[in-house]
Amino acid sequence: MYCGSLASISNKKSVMAVAISVVLVVSLLGSSYGFHFPAIYNLGDSNSDTGSVSATFGRVPPPYGESFFGRPSGRYSDGRLIIDFIADKLKLPFLSAYLDSIESNFRHGANFAASGSTIQPADGDLFGAGFNPLSLDIQLLQFEQFKERTKELYDKAKNPDFSDRLPRPEEFSKALYILDCGQNDLHYGLITTTEEQVKASIPYIISQFAVAIEKLYQEGARIFWIHSTGPIGCLPVFVINSPPKPENADPTGCIKSYNEVAQEFNKQLKDRISQLRAELLGAKLIYVDIYSAKYSLISEANQYGFVGPFISCCGHFGDYHVECGKTTVVNGTKIFGASCGEPTKHISWDGIHYTEAANQWVANRIFDGSLSDPLVPITKACL
């Protein structure tokens, strides 16, 4: 029999009521702010490579990386990439490149993206044209080995400093898987075949992309954030070196037919993702319209405080060509591909890749989910 006073009973009820209220508030806040991703695994090309190619084929030279890192960081930009801003938005550290052995930390994911890589398996023709042999199928093999070896090493690790640099095996299925690739497949086709032939090759390229998604799913991946390809016809390397004829230039000055190829690729990509949603039970596949974000920035560059979209900050195109960070001889004079000094006012960094300022603008544009299918902010992608 309980012998306490009525006052003590009342106090205990009050404490219990407060405790229940706290639990409810915490629960509501958890659903409002979304699940916290423990890791990111990224596959792609130079739009998201944080050091793979630099570690494998030679360090990216200065002035790459100057704006944020103060030195080359393995990124093909003056600073951060969209993937860096995504990591920051999700309160995770920048991703270490899987192939970079110096100071890498994979506790919160890994980056398998490689500059110059394609979705379609690399062959002699692609490699001969200057593209990377680390195509999407190879990146997938790297991920599979990474996951397998992580599980082996994590269980055996006796040094906490070592295990703290590895992802938790149980977190692979809770991570966010990002794919940002396809631009180089189109680039290769446009410089080696006709536009119609490139369009004819898209179904095969998309089929290879779908195979990669399915294999990641089999490895336990469940949440995918998939970027469309950007407006390739707006890259200064094409517009300046091969100016479009008036009838093939859009109102911004981009190469209309090249962008139509990119749009066809994105249409087929989005359709295939829709099919995969029905096939991969329990998976969430989010298509992100990067094309619209980038084209909006390019077509309204002045409105957003940037100079003309075809003016690269680093290197030079046109009457003579010198690549960013490299030296060439023009009329007997050595010329270095230097930075413009004001990369924050430029969209294009080196004629192919975007500046940190442009990457940040695009990242902020896609975070709220308004350009996603389904419409979901990245912070709530798992709900």
Side-chain angles (χ1 to χ4, degrees):
M1 179 176 175
Y2 180 69
C3 299
S5 67
L6 291 176
S8 65
I9 294 174
S10 177
N11 288 338
K12 288 187 176 183
K13 286 183 177 180
S14 297
V15 170
M16 185 177 293
V18 170
I20 292 172
S21 298
V22 169
V23 170
L24 289 173
V25 169
V26 169
S27 176
L28 288 171
L29 285 174
S31 62
S32 297
Y33 287 104
F35 171 79
H36 178 69
F37 287 106
I40 297 171
Y41 294 99
N42 182 74
L43 298 89
D45 52 32
S46 59
N47 289 310
S48 59
D49 180 0
T50 56
S52 288
V53 163
S54 184
T56 307
F57 298 108
R59 193 177 189 187
V60 176
Y64 285 92
E66 65 175 16
S67 295
F68 183 79
F69 301 97
R71 55 178 173 75
S73 65
R75 294 160 174 78
Y76 283 85
S77 177
D78 63 305
R80 291 165 290 181
L81 309 177
I82 292 173
I83 185 67
D84 295 312
F85 291 108
I86 289 176
D88 190 57
K89 183 70 174 178
L90 296 178
K91 303 188 185 310
L92 293 172
F94 295 158
L95 294 183
S96 293
Y98 169 72
L99 294 177
D100 192 352
S101 60
I102 306 297
E103 294 187 343
S104 291
N105 189 321
F106 302 113
R107 173 64 188 87
H108 296 288
N111 193 354
F112 302 89
S115 302
S117 66
T118 53
I119 293 174
Q120 57 191 309
D123 57 17
D125 291 336
L126 270 164
F127 186 67
F131 292 89
N132 196 318
L134 302 174
S135 46
L136 185 58
D137 58 324
I138 302 300
Q139 294 177 35
L140 184 60
L141 289 173
Q142 292 173 342
F143 169 77
E144 291 170 351
Q145 180 180 183
F146 175 82
K147 182 186 174 191
E148 183 178 345
R149 293 194 65 201
T150 292
K151 289 185 175 180
E152 293 172 358
L153 293 172
Y154 192 83
D155 291 336
K156 297 177 182 178
K158 305 204 184 282
N159 185 342
D161 290 338
F162 180 72
S163 59
D164 283 347
R165 301 177 75 84
L166 292 174
R168 305 291 186 266
E170 67 273 13
E171 291 178 349
F172 278 98
S173 62
K174 302 173 184 176
L176 178 65
Y177 289 79
I178 300 176
L179 290 96
D180 187 337
C181 43
Q183 178 174 305
N184 288 321
D185 295 88
L186 304 185
H187 189 161
Y188 169 70
L190 290 170
I191 63 175
T192 59
T193 63
T194 67
E195 291 158 24
E196 290 308 312
Q197 288 174 307
V198 181
K199 287 182 179 179
S201 73
I202 291 176
Y204 169 71
I205 297 170
I206 297 298
S207 72
Q208 294 301 301
F209 184 87
V211 167
I213 293 290
E214 290 165 352
K215 287 185 176 179
L216 285 170
Y217 177 81
Q218 291 165 8
E219 289 291 331
R222 289 297 179 268
I223 306 171
F224 299 86
W225 182 267
I226 302 167
H227 291 179
S228 68
T229 196
I232 193 169
C234 296
L235 296 179
V237 67
F238 287 127
V239 176
I240 302 300
N241 288 344
S242 304
K245 295 179 180 179
E247 63 272 17
N248 194 29
D250 71 8
T252 302
C254 302
I255 304 175
K256 187 191 305 182
S257 58
Y258 281 19
N259 280 347
E260 288 172 352
V261 170
Q263 289 167 344
E264 178 59 27
F265 173 89
N266 290 336
K267 177 183 179 299
Q268 294 190 35
L269 175 65
K270 188 175 182 180
D271 289 345
R272 189 68 185 95
I273 290 172
S274 180
Q275 294 172 13
L276 287 169
R277 287 193 192 107
E279 298 167 9
L280 305 180
L281 300 180
K284 188 165 190 177
L285 292 89
I286 302 166
Y287 170 88
V288 185
D289 187 5
I290 287 286
Y291 182 100
S292 291
K294 288 184 174 179
Y295 191 79
S296 176
L297 174 60
I298 291 167
S299 62
E300 301 176 280
N302 293 335
Q303 177 181 330
Y304 295 117
F306 293 90
V307 299
F310 309 128
I311 304 173
S312 300
C313 177
C314 189
H316 184 84
F317 295 96
D319 50 343
Y320 64 89
H321 182 195
V322 55
E323 293 183 26
C324 179
K326 295 186 178 181
T327 301
T328 191
V329 177
V330 178
N331 297 325
T333 302
K334 283 187 176 182
I335 297 178
F336 176 68
S339 168
C340 62
E342 292 184 307
T344 56
K345 294 184 178 179
H346 288 71
I347 292 173
S348 177
W349 167 243
D350 60 6
I352 297 176
H353 308 101
Y354 290 70
T355 60
E356 175 181 272
N359 285 327
Q360 184 172 26
W361 191 97
V362 173
N364 288 335
R365 185 70 180 83
I366 65 173
F367 284 156
D368 66 359
S370 60
L371 292 177
S372 298
D373 178 28
L375 298 173
V376 56
I378 193 167
T379 52
K380 297 184 179 179
C382 63
L383 298 180

